[in-house]
């Protein structure tokens, strides 16, 4: 059975603009992550969070979703990390 992991933080997901909670990036893959890091979209504290998500995927987790704990039950999608 595939395992899906959810990381809960204070923001609704990984943001394209750190000052805009409405700028949630819906999906991140290794290629898009590399591009967003190079472009300075993903910086600081988000880097270890996403690195850990990819590490979990490398150990067999199907996907990791990053979202706010407040969004667990309301259907908000957050950001999904995939291979």
């Amino acid at each position: 059975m595939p395992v899906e992991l959810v990381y809960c933080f204070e923001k609704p997901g990984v943001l394209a603009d750190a000052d805009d909670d409405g700028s949630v990036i819906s999906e991140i893959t290794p290629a898009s992550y590399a591009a967003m890091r190079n472009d300075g979209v993903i910086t600081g504290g988000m880097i270890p969070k996403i690195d850990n998500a990819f590490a979990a995927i490398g150990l067999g987790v199907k996907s990791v979703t990053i979202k706010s704990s407040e969004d667990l039950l309301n259907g908000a999608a957050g950001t999904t990390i995939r291979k």
Side-chain angles (χ1 to χ4, degrees):
M1 174 189 257
V3 174
E4 296 181 16
L5 181 62
V6 178
Y7 289 165
C8 295
F9 300 103
E10 66 280 351
K11 295 292 185 175
V14 179
L15 305 176
D17 177 349
D19 297 322
D20 179 4
D21 283 357
S23 67
V24 175
I25 300 165
S26 61
E27 183 175 274
I28 296 175
T29 63
S32 66
Y33 178 47
M36 286 185 275
R37 278 187 70 175
N38 287 338
D39 293 343
V41 174
I42 296 176
T43 61
M46 282 312 303
I47 292 172
K49 292 173 177 84
I50 297 172
D51 286 347
N52 285 327
F54 280 118
I57 290 168
L59 293 171
V61 171
K62 177 182 174 186
S63 66
V64 177
T65 300
I66 297 176
K67 61 170 49 180
S68 166
S69 59
E70 295 176 3
D71 291 336
L72 283 174
L73 300 177
N74 71 8
T79 300
T80 302
I81 313 293
R82 300 186 196 281
K83 278 189 192 178

